[in-house]
Amino acid sequence: MSVTSRYRDAWESFWNEAPEGQGAVFWDAEPILTAGRHLAHFEPHLTDPGLPMIDLGCGNGTQTRYFADRFPHVVGADLSAAALDHARHADPAGQAAYRQLDAADKAEAETLHAELGDANVYVRGVLHQCEPDDRQPLADALAALLGERGRAFLVEPSQAAKTVLMGLAQGPEGPPAKLAPVLRHGLTPGAVPDEAVPEYLRAAGLTVLASGELPLITTEYTPDGTRIELPSTWVVVGHTRS
């Protein structure tokens, strides 16, 4: 199974229009506020930190480059070729490798696993953007990437985040400038029930090793200058037979 052409086209058009530079899109917050906070919860569960690290849904690679400073082999993977163009442009030294990947296609994940071997995987806000029929295939593909020894960290906006986003979109002045393109390209976050996330992962044969809640930091601010944060939940998963 792979994603629909509508979904793929929506991401291509979004990234083709997105400005260059870190922080130009809604979710592209500084790594110290995003991947850095997440890594503090992820690293204690890594059985082998020397495995390749895959930033799944890497976008323009801001978090990927952060990982590349901390792990020996980092791969930024994304559905969108335009997103990967942004990532490569922002990484002229080639700190990380970049790979186009349909994360809802288990066969593509198995091909990448055959090349890299077992990997650790970071997934920030990807599952909730998937169409409903793609969510279980994405979890299945994630399990294929991990193999026996890998661990994954997934962080997703919680159900409460949808209320925050709807309030922002329906404000008297319209949605904030960085949220507007997300909505215009049809990338409105889906409502994934909080309890469904671990169920997708368990159905893929993975075990939840840790979980918690953290604010998901954005690059946008309210009119009074307050940074917009979305409620989110995170889990660490892996194959426990390893």
Side-chain angles (χ1 to χ4, degrees), residues 32-103:
I32 195 65
L33 300 177
T34 48
R37 290 182 177 180
H38 299 148
L39 198 56
H41 298 280
F42 190 18
E43 281 190 303
H45 299 280
L46 297 179
T47 57
D48 186 349
L51 294 178
M53 175 70 77
I54 301 173
D55 182 8
L56 188 62
C58 69
N60 62 358
T62 297
Q63 314 307 318
T64 317
R65 295 187 296 279
Y66 178 86
F67 288 126
D69 286 335
R70 289 156 179 80
F71 295 94
H73 185 192
V74 176
V75 177
D78 202 278
L79 175 68
S80 167
L84 295 172
D85 286 343
H86 280 278
R88 292 185 181 102
H89 184 263
D91 186 12
Q95 290 178 275
Y98 299 96
R99 173 73 170 259
Q100 190 168 12
L101 180 74
D102 181 346

Side-chain angles (χ1 to χ4, degrees), residues 8 10 22 32 39 48-49 59 63-64 90 95-96 99 107 129 138-139 163 177 180 199 206-207 219 223-224:
R8 187 187 299 270
Q22 190 271 318
I32 195 65
L39 198 56
D48 186 349
Q63 314 307 318
T64 317
Q95 290 178 275
R99 173 73 170 259
Q129 282 285 5
L138 186 146
T163 302
E199 288 306 315
L206 298 170
T207 298
T219 61
D224 66 3

Side-chain angles (χ1 to χ4, degrees), residues 102-121:
D102 181 346
D105 189 329
K106 188 177 180 181
E108 289 195 24
E110 289 172 340
T111 297
L112 184 55
H113 179 264
E115 296 175 15
L116 297 178
D118 292 357
N120 297 314
V121 185

Side-chain angles (χ1 to χ4, degrees), residues 22 192 230:
Q22 190 271 318
V192 181
L230 302 178

Side-chain angles (χ1 to χ4, degrees), residues 111-195:
T111 297
L112 184 55
H113 179 264
E115 296 175 15
L116 297 178
D118 292 357
N120 297 314
V121 185
Y122 175 71
V123 190
R124 181 171 68 108
V126 175
L127 192 67
H128 81 282
Q129 282 285 5
C130 289
E131 295 179 347
D133 289 345
D134 291 333
R135 292 171 189 156
Q136 188 60 57
L138 186 146
D140 295 340
L142 177 62
L145 292 171
L146 296 183
E148 296 292 320
R149 296 176 295 153
R151 295 288 185 259
F153 183 97
L154 292 88
V155 58
E156 296 289 336
S158 63
Q159 286 175 278
K162 187 172 183 180
T163 302
V164 176
L165 289 167
M166 288 178 62
L168 293 170
Q170 297 169 1
E173 298 179 2
K178 293 179 184 177
L179 180 58
V182 179
L183 303 177
R184 187 173 68 253
H185 288 282
L187 300 172
T188 309
V192 181
D194 295 343
E195 66 275 9

